[in-house]
Amino acid sequence: MLRIMNCKLCGENKKLIKAHIIPAAFFRPLSTTNKAPEIFSNTNGVFPKRSPTGIYDKDILCEQCDRCIGLWDDYANKILIQNFSEKCAVYHKGIKVAYKIDNYDYKKLKLFFISLLWRALISEREFYKRINISSHEQNLKDMIINKNPGGSYNYAVALAKFSDPKIAVMLDPHKTRFDGINYCQFYLTGFVAYIKTDKRNPPDFLKEFCLKERPPFWIILRDLNNSKDGKIIKDIILKATRKG
C-alpha cells in the first residue's frame, strides 16, 4: 500500500514506495544454489529469514527520488555483478592476490556507495540499526542531491571480495575501525564494502585500495573460510541447525 508522507530526500509530501536500501541485485545467492540468501545479524544471529530481493523500507523515498538513486544502483550492479568475473583477478606467480576493475565511472559508482550509506542511516528497519551515524545524514543527503561524489578520501570506499563464497548468507551492516579510523561495513553478495565515516584520511594500508577518480579500482581478496566473517557465518548456521 502506498503511503503519503514526506520523502526523506526531496522533502515533499508524496506517496512513498517500497524502497530498497541494499539493491535487490545484491541479494543474489552467494553460491550457485537456487536458495535465496539468509539474512542474519552479525552479533546475535537474530531475524534469520530468506529473501531473494532483500529488505525494503516503505517510509523513506518517493518513486521519483528512488528512480534517481536507482540509476546509481543499476550502474553498481553492472560493474560489480554483471560485468565482474574471474577475468578481473590479478595473479602473482600463479597465486590470485587481488581483483582489479580497469573501467568505471567514478561519479556514478561513488554516489552508489554514498546513497547506500545514507539510505541505511535513515532507515528504521532492524537490519540497519547499527548504522547509527546521524551526524552524517545531512552531509550525505547534500552530496546525493547535488550529485557530488566528493574526493576519493571523502567517504572513501574500499572493496573486498571473498575468494570462494559458498554460503548464501547476508550479514547486517555495521560500524568498524581500521587503525582507529571509523568505517561502516556492508555485505554485497560476495563483496564487502568499507565506507569511511571519519574526517581523517584512510589508514596507509587502505589508501591504494580506495575508489579513485582514475582507474584502476583495486579490490582486496579475502578468504571466506578463514576470515572473521566466515567464522561468524558458519557459527550462525551451526546454531540455527541445532535449534532446528
Side-chain angles (χ1 to χ4, degrees):
M1 180 179 179
L2 296 176
R3 305 180 66 187
I4 299 178
M5 297 173 63
N6 284 334
C7 170
K8 292 191 177 182
L9 185 58
C10 67
E12 296 183 14
N13 198 31
K14 292 183 176 181
K15 292 181 179 180
L16 303 188
I17 65 168
K18 294 180 178 180
H20 282 86
I21 288 85
I22 296 176
F26 286 94
F27 273 84
R28 295 190 316 173
L30 298 181
S31 68
T32 56
T33 68
N34 292 322
K35 292 182 179 180
E38 285 192 286
I39 301 169
F40 283 95
S41 166
N42 203 357
T43 53
N44 53 25
V46 299
F47 51 81
K49 61 177 289 189
R50 290 196 180 274
S51 175
T53 59
I55 298 173
Y56 62 83
D57 193 321
K58 60 184 179 181
D59 297 325
I60 59 174
L61 292 173
C62 67
E63 184 175 5
Q64 183 176 357
C65 288
D66 185 69
R67 283 182 178 177
C68 291
I69 290 177
L71 296 176
W72 303 328
D73 291 351
D74 291 344
Y75 185 74
N77 175 33
K78 177 182 176 182
I79 296 296
L80 300 178
I81 295 182
Q82 294 179 8
N83 294 347
F84 194 91
S85 71
E86 284 303 305
K87 293 180 180 180
C88 301
V90 176
Y91 291 82
H92 176 69
K93 295 183 179 180
I95 300 175
K96 188 191 301 182
V97 293
Y99 289 92
K100 184 177 68 165
I101 300 177
D102 289 314
N103 297 294
Y104 59 85
D105 184 313
Y106 171 79
K107 182 177 181 179
K108 291 179 181 178
L109 192 56
K110 181 69 177 292
L111 283 170
F112 160 70
F113 289 107
I114 294 295
S115 66
L116 173 68
L117 181 60
W118 177 75
R119 282 176 283 181
L121 188 166
I122 64 170
S123 176
E124 295 185 0
R125 296 299 301 269
E126 181 76 7
F127 188 69
Y128 299 102
K129 70 177 183 179
R130 292 201 286 163
I131 305 298
N132 51 345
I133 52 168
S134 57
S135 62
H136 292 268
E137 180 178 346
Q138 188 61 49
N139 192 38
L140 291 167
K141 180 179 177 180
D142 290 343
M143 294 174 77
I144 293 169
I145 291 174
N146 296 320
K147 297 181 173 59
N148 172 24
S152 59
Y153 287 174
N154 186 15
Y155 293 104
V157 175
L159 206 60
K161 181 79 169 66
F162 286 127
S163 58
D164 186 24
K166 296 179 179 178
I167 304 172
V169 169
M170 180 77 81
L171 299 179
D172 57 328
H174 57 89
K175 294 186 291 186
T176 189
R177 287 185 178 184
F178 295 108
D179 290 351
I181 307 298
N182 297 307
Y183 279 78
C184 284
Q185 180 171 331
F186 289 81
Y187 297 85
L188 303 171
T189 305
F191 290 98
V192 183
Y194 305 98
I195 308 174
K196 185 174 69 69
T197 55
D198 201 300
K199 292 182 179 179
R200 293 169 291 177
N201 286 340
D204 289 340
F205 78 95
L206 271 180
K207 286 181 178 178
E208 290 302 315
F209 293 98
C210 289
L211 176 63
K212 295 182 173 65
E213 289 89 341
R214 294 184 179 180
F217 182 21
W218 290 95
I219 297 173
I220 303 165
L221 186 66
R222 297 189 61 190
D223 185 347
L224 178 64
N225 294 318
N226 296 319
S227 69
K228 179 181 177 181
D229 309 68
K231 292 177 181 177
I232 291 173
I233 291 171
K234 290 179 180 179
D235 184 56
I236 287 172
I237 290 179
L238 285 174
K239 288 181 180 179
T241 302
R242 293 191 190 105
K243 289 180 181 180

